[in-house]
Structure formats: C-alpha cells, structure tokens
C-alpha cells in the first residue's frame, strides 16, 4: 500500500485520499505553478521546496500572502462544477516537487465521505481567514501596521525564543518584507530604522531579532488571534 503523506492541517482519514497523485511536477526556482486568471483544475501537494503565494494589486504592487512548503496543499478547492479562475499567483522560490491531483476525480471520491469533505472545506476556510487577517491589518493600520503584523507573523513562523528576544531562523530582505506589506522597500527601511532606534528589533547576521513583540502587538491593537491564524505560512 502507498505510504500516506503528511498534509498540514488535515486529519489522517482525509490525508488518505492524497496517497495516489495523478502525476508529479518538478519546477525550478522563479517558475510559476499558476498565475492569476488561470483556470483551476488541479490541487497540489508540496513534497519538497517552497512556493510563495502573491496577489498583484490594481496599481501593480505585489502583496506576498504566504510561504508554503512540504506538507502544504496549494490551489483553490473546487466545491461546484462551475469554472473558477485563480485570484493569486504561485511562484516557486526553492526548487519544488509537487504531487498533482485532478479535482474532478478527487471530488467524486470525497462525495462518498462527508467527514473528509468537511475537513477539506475547513482547511479552505482556515486559509481564507489567514488571508483576511492580513488584509485587515493592511487596511486598518496602513504600512506601519502591515509591517508590524508581518514581524509578528514571522516570529510565530520562524522565531526561536531566547533570553534577549525572538530570533528569526530565516533571513528576509527588506524587499521581501516590503512585498508582505504591499509597500516600497524605502518605506520599510524607514520603519525598521525607527524600530531599531527604539530597541524593539535588531539585526544579526542578516536575521532579525524581535526584542519587544508586545510593542508591535499594542501598536496594531492585536486581537490575540490563535497562532494558527497569525503565521506567514
């Protein structure tokens, strides 16, 4: 019997439906898995590598939504038979291998298992709520709030707590941070400089250290959402 893969946020019974992909796909860095406007047909499971999901704003700015890696599903889950187009781009940031599942076939299997279908729909709802909280911070608090929110999310996703603060184990360029805020690199540079002057953050070996995460949370009136909603992935 095929080995049952690990899929983040799905239970074991639902995961069993993903042990026989229709085929696999190998993509190199900077290739796109899909683009905004492409028709949705498949669901993808990342086996290795990393994918960045982004949204292009009407004025041409790029808003990074989340990084996805091994064990993550990617793609719009089709509930009806109506044609659906992607609203986001999926760009490969580290060479990736993906298992591909035809959604028409997957839907037929899941129709016989209401619990698994509900589990998959709950997963879709979780991803939607993650994106909505990011949009909320950007709309309500502007560039500053978007950056502060991003730093909090990064601390939850890549942070290691040490005596002097939360050390990020992954480095991010100022341009990458700007893309998570849908703003310019220059604006992010100024905001980071202000935080460094206040000793809220510092930088070591090109990796950020957050010394006072409570300062960031208070500035954006943090709702103290469950950590599962407050990550960058």
């Amino acid at each position: 019997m095929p080995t049952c893969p690990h899929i983040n946020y799905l239970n074991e019974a639902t995961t069993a439906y993903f042990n026989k992909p229709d085929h696999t796909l190998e993509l190199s860095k900077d290739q796109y898995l899909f683009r905004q406007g492409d028709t949705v047909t498949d669901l993808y499971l990342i086996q290795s590598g990393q994918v960045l999901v982004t949204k292009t704003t009407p004025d041409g700015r790029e808003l990074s939504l989340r990084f996805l890696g091994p064990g993550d599903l990617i793609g719009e889950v089709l509930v009806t038979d109506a044609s659906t187009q992607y609203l986001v781009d999926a760009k490969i940031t580290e060479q990736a291998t993906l298992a591909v599942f035809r959604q028409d076939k997957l839907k037929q299997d899941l129709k016989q298992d209401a619990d698994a279908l509900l589990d998959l729909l709950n997963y879709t709802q979780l991803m939607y709520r993650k994106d909505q909280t990011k949009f909320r911070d950007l709309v309500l608090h502007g560039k500053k709030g978007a950056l502060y929110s991003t730093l909090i999310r990064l601390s939850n996703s890549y942070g290691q707590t040490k005596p002097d603060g939360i050390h990020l184990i992954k480095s991010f360029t100022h341009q990458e941070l700007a893309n998570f805020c849908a703003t310019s690199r220059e604006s992010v540079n100024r905001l980071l400089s202000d935080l460094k002057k206040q000793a809220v953050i510092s930088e070591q070996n090109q990796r950020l250290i957050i010394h006072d995460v409570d300062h960031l949370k208070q500035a954006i009136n943090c709702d103290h959402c469950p950590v599962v909603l407050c990550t960058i992935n």
Side-chain angles (χ1 to χ4, degrees), residues 188-202:
V188 165
N189 288 344
R190 287 193 295 270
L191 290 168
L192 290 175
S193 294
D194 288 343
L195 289 173
K196 288 176 182 177
K197 290 175 183 176
Q198 299 173 65
V200 175
I201 67 169
S202 63

Side-chain angles (χ1 to χ4, degrees), residues 48-158:
S48 65
Q50 189 176 70
V51 182
L52 176 63
V53 178
T54 65
K55 174 72 176 177
T56 302
T57 63
D59 59 359
R61 289 179 296 168
E62 182 179 283
L63 173 61
S64 297
L65 294 174
R66 56 184 179 270
F67 280 113
L68 297 176
D72 285 324
L73 285 176
I74 182 169
E76 299 280 345
V77 177
L78 295 176
V79 179
T80 70
D81 293 329
S83 179
T84 302
Q85 285 74 44
Y86 285 110
L87 300 176
V88 295
D89 295 326
K91 185 179 182 179
I92 308 300
T93 55
E94 292 179 7
Q95 183 172 340
T97 301
L98 304 105
V100 184
F101 301 87
R102 282 178 27 219
Q103 292 214 50
D104 55 354
K105 178 181 174 183
L106 190 61
K107 278 195 300 182
Q108 289 301 318
D109 293 338
L110 290 173
K111 280 181 180 179
Q112 314 303 319
D113 189 339
D115 289 338
L117 181 58
L118 181 60
D119 190 39
L120 189 58
L121 292 177
N122 283 337
Y123 165 83
T124 302
Q125 177 69 7
L126 174 62
M127 296 301 107
Y128 171 78
R129 291 182 66 195
K130 280 174 174 277
D131 290 343
Q132 287 303 106
T133 57
K134 292 172 188 175
F135 290 136
R136 175 202 62 196
D137 292 339
L138 179 59
V139 171
L140 294 182
H141 303 290
K143 300 173 185 177
K144 184 175 180 179
L147 176 62
Y148 286 17
S149 171
T150 297
L151 293 175
I152 294 168
R153 294 172 191 280
L154 288 173
S155 74
N156 288 332
S157 297
Y158 301 108

Side-chain angles (χ1 to χ4, degrees), residues 6 9 11 13 19 34 40-41 46 54 61 96 102 149 151 162 183 209 215 222 225:
H6 166 73
Y9 305 113
N11 63 42
N19 63 1
F34 52 76
V40 178
T41 57
I46 303 173
T54 65
R61 289 179 296 168
R102 282 178 27 219
S149 171
L151 293 175
K162 297 186 178 182
T183 190
I209 303 171
H215 174 91
C222 177
C225 301

